[in-house]
Amino acid sequence: MEGSAAMAEAAVRAGCRFYAGYPITPSTEILEYMSTRMPQVGGVCMNAESEIEAIGMVWGAAGCGVRAMTASTGQGISLMQESFAELANAQIPVVTVNMCRGQGDYFQSTRGGGHGDYRFIVLAPSSAQEAADLAQLAFDLADKWRNPVMIMGDFLLSHTSEIVEFHETVAQRSADKSWAITGARGRRGITLSPLGPSEKLSTDIATTLAHAIDKHAAIKAEEVRVDTGYLDDAELVVVAFGFPGRFVKYAVMLARERGLRVGYVRPITLWPFPTQAVAAAAERAQAVAVFELNAGQMIEDVQLAVLGRAPVHAIGGISHDHSGFGVGPLLNVEYILKRIEEVYPKKGSRVQGNLGL
Amino acid sequence: MQKVFEKPDLLLKTEHSLCPGCGEPVALRIILELIQELGLRDRTICVAGIGCYTAFPMIMDVDVMQALHGRAPSVATGVKRVRPDAFVFTMQGDGDMISEGLQEVIHSAARGEKFTAIVFNNAVFGETGGHMTAATVLGQHTKTTVGGRDRERHGNPIKISELLAQLDGAAYVARAAVHTPSGIKLTKQYLHDAFRAQLEGKGFSLVEILTMCPTDWFVTPDQGPAFLEEKLKPIYPLGVIKSL
């Protein structure tokens, strides 16, 4: 099945019972799938009138303790930023899919465009199977941390059909939802709010916000996920994420066949970023290369991880086909291989302390 | 001595942080009285917007979900769809519902979402300190319509109740005011009928409550009711606009 359908089905199997979305390429297939699938499991799918309304509806459902999800594309995700920031502050667990055009929305996904101190956990699958697995994981992580989780995909992930096997998740539906709005039967009423504490007559806003943000350090410590390969003797380490990360793995394999000692690091969590894995790889290597289909976004996280241990080269770039939806001509194994060969360190070329900026 | 009046139990404090002469605390008291009288407390979920009344959730002994400015109808949609047995109402001001969130309330009404939308209309942005909203009446002085709202320069006010009543999903729409004792009584009646429309699953219900804002009308608290009567009521006539 297509990556979109795989994520939607995985979400349903993870207990998602509310979906609201607004159609936009290449995320529309998730909405289409949910509109049929949700009623079959007693859930709700809303064809919202705007992205702003979609995330508002998801807010309401998730605030009631129901696993809820929306999906869009960078453009539509832009419209949701106000709610994203406040959902994080209100500690409401929602899952969002950002099915990007190209990879130009790395900053949008990992930094966000909303206000204030907040973070989304961001997962970047490279196949339909991984998309299904991560979609299920996303709901567990959202509940575990009471924090929104975003899955960053792209046109190829959305539309490529692959065989998918669904795994049962363990943590689903067991999460503590005692914070949820249910009606105040048997207890004092509570308020679920980004503006302050849930207890009535309390005004300790600073502590509430600090608590919502304190967990960032714990998430960084516990939730990093990364896929690496051929690093033991690598002279050059290529960092890439998402579906293009899969092309890079293949290009690295071909480079090995040509005798080049190349390894790869594929961040699965874009936030928290696998800083340690990149740093360790850079420690051993002569150079680091970053392949991403944008003007250079993740490379900043790579540079922060490498911290001058090795030069960091950008080998991707802005890449669009005529539709503007896809990933464009640069996503080509031969091209990636050529770029790897171009930046592959010449003997004795390493310059200590070069920040590579 | 016989006690003839007391605050509803659902009101946790009788003090509020709003200005003297404000109409919103009166409206809140009626809402909570009604929820208590109808025995709805345990299944009530309020979705609150952003405005002066954002101070209310902390003194209301019911569950409240705090929404962003303009977004309460969408959030309430999500709430009611996953908890169809809950009694759901929104609290928004005219700036929140009619300016920032007009699209959301229109679509919610058109879909016939089974919650009750309550809008406190004082024809001004109260919390920001007296600026024009989409409900500010022609001639009204605000800090952004110095000299009075002018049709050519600032456009015309939106009559939200009349606008929403024409939508097929709207089951009950009424406009009330809390500037007189009889008005307060009628407000409670309209709220009651709107709540019933929700509980009977008839569709979307809306009660627009005209409230006094003497601070941002630039009058003294005791002049608020007369201002409402003379300036707002002719533009926003009271009464039931739609009842299916």
Side-chain angles (χ1 to χ4, degrees), chain A residues 13-28:
Chain A
R13 289 172 185 243
C16 176
R17 288 298 176 270
F18 188 91
Y19 182 90
Y22 187 90
I24 178 170
T25 303
S27 75
T28 311

Side-chain angles (χ1 to χ4, degrees), chain A residues 18 46 53-62 64 181, chain B residues 45-49 65-68 70-84 86-92 104-105 108 111-118 198 204-205:
Chain A
F18 188 91
M46 301 293 293
E53 288 171 80
I55 190 65
M57 293 171 185
V58 165
W59 179 319
C64 287
I181 293 296
Chain B
I45 297 175
C46 167
V47 181
M65 213 179 291
Q66 179 64 57
L68 296 179
R71 316 287 167 239
S74 299
V75 175
T77 296
V79 170
K80 186 73 179 187
R81 291 279 181 145
V82 298
R83 293 200 181 279
F87 169 73
V88 180
F89 74 96
T90 61
M91 259 186 341
Q92 297 179 270
E104 314 216 357
V105 75
S108 295
R111 289 192 306 265
E113 298 296 338
K114 297 179 185 65
F115 65 82
T116 302
I118 298 172
Q198 176 184 166
F204 177 85
S205 51

Side-chain angles (χ1 to χ4, degrees), chain A residues 334-353:
Chain A
E334 283 304 320
Y335 174 81
I336 298 169
L337 196 54
K338 181 169 144 281
R339 295 289 287 136
I340 286 174
E341 286 171 342
E342 283 170 9
V343 300
Y344 190 78
K346 311 288 180 286
K347 221 171 177 60
S349 67
R350 175 154 187 178
V351 183
Q352 288 295 334

Side-chain angles (χ1 to χ4, degrees), chain B residues 39-74:
Chain B
L40 296 170
R41 177 199 178 272
D42 288 355
R43 57 184 178 119
T44 291
I45 297 175
C46 167
V47 181
I50 301 282
C52 300
Y53 51 89
T54 304
F56 290 166
M58 71 161 68
I59 58 170
M60 299 163 65
D61 186 22
V62 294
D63 273 10
V64 181
M65 213 179 291
Q66 179 64 57
L68 296 179
H69 196 59
R71 316 287 167 239
S74 299

